Amino acid sequence: MTAVDEKPLTLHSLALNETPYPPLESVRKAIADGIPDLHRYPQFYADGLMEFIARWRGVTAESVVVGSGSVGVALQTLQAFTDGPRDEVVYGWRAFDAYPIITDMAGAGRVEVPLTPDGEQDLARILDAVTDRTRVVILCNPHNPTGTPVEAGALERFLDALPPHVLVLLDEAYMEFAGDAALPQGIDLLKAGRGRLVVLRTFSKAYGLAGLRIGYGLTTPETARRIRTMSVPYSITETARTAVIASVGAEAELNERIAALTAERARMQAALRGLGWRVLESRANFLWLDEPERCAAFHRACDGAGVQVRLYPGEGIRLTIGTSDANDLVLRAARGL
């Protein structure tokens, strides 16, 4: 038997920030009920879904855009608001891996600003990086991969200081896990007219619909019209629309799941710190182990225990919070190092 044959199968994926829970039973039933109609095309531009999201979020339908996850809306936005490599997109780095990818896809120039030593987006340095060539600034709140927040006052001061030609993509993919009423909500800032904003949300994380690739953006009608020119016809499936509506209708049950997951996050954070690991305070569904020297060993130990975690070589580990069984395997691996 070879070493490859002896290696245990990976049983738990804690590398992609997915929820460990499947869609709720009511959501699965709604999806199943739609199977007989899968031979039919969805709406050309998902107008019905945008109207539903608008009613749910208390905005006009003209203020909503939808796409293939929040990253799809982000790509459409960069395509709409940049025009070649002289136009620049500024964001903190390290960040969500898709930011440089979609910037390249849009043909714009990247400006990557290092995070602070505490894993936060350095708003002062990001502001210093803004020039007359800057078209879009991307902020992630809570931040991926560190889980750190941008607090309300700091965000408002940042938005007020930006020149009027700069659009801000405020990526709130993990906001449902924040559990902090003091954390700024992009929709409130948008309604208050604070800066040129596109607020990104997704159904991939807390709502457990990552496989259906559906996200949305909230912005002004003028900005939304421009983003919609980059929409791909028929790109939002009827299955996704059905699942979104059913999920929103089951938010009480979803909130119970979010509460359970954030409790696990607190347990894991305390346990790993107790074992001597440097873990940043997270507001998302993952933890950042700020361990440049030991991250590779941690990754190997978890892999040997049958758990996938996300390794950033020489930087740290992003650990998605999974089921209690999966999390216990991680703690067992961490104790052995």
Side-chain angles (χ1 to χ4, degrees), residues 12-21 144-145 174 177 204-206 261 264-265 267-269 272 282 284-289 298 302 307-312 317-328 330-331:
H12 301 280
S13 175
L14 305 183
L16 296 177
N17 294 344
E18 301 151 326
T19 176
Y21 309 118
N144 177 14
Y174 301 97
F177 301 106
S204 295
K205 306 301 181 185
L261 193 144
E264 272 293 290
R265 179 184 70 197
R267 179 178 79 91
M268 289 294 290
Q269 181 173 269
L272 287 166
S282 174
N285 70 328
F286 54 85
L287 296 174
W288 176 253
L289 278 65
F298 187 96
C302 288
V307 181
Q308 290 179 330
V309 298
R310 179 64 191 275
L311 170 66
Y312 296 83
I317 292 284
R318 190 187 66 193
L319 171 66
T320 304
I321 302 301
T323 63
S324 58
D325 289 344
N327 298 334
D328 286 343
V330 173
L331 293 179

Side-chain angles (χ1 to χ4, degrees), residues 148-171:
T148 55
V150 178
E151 301 292 353
L155 180 55
E156 291 172 6
R157 289 190 296 273
F158 177 82
L159 294 175
D160 290 344
L162 282 174
H165 70 274
V166 176
L167 181 73
V168 175
L169 266 177
L170 184 59
D171 185 350

Side-chain angles (χ1 to χ4, degrees), residues 202-221:
T202 185
F203 291 97
S204 295
K205 306 301 181 185
Y207 289 87
L209 302 179
L212 291 179
R213 307 306 305 127
I214 179 69
Y216 65 98
L218 306 175
T219 185
T220 63

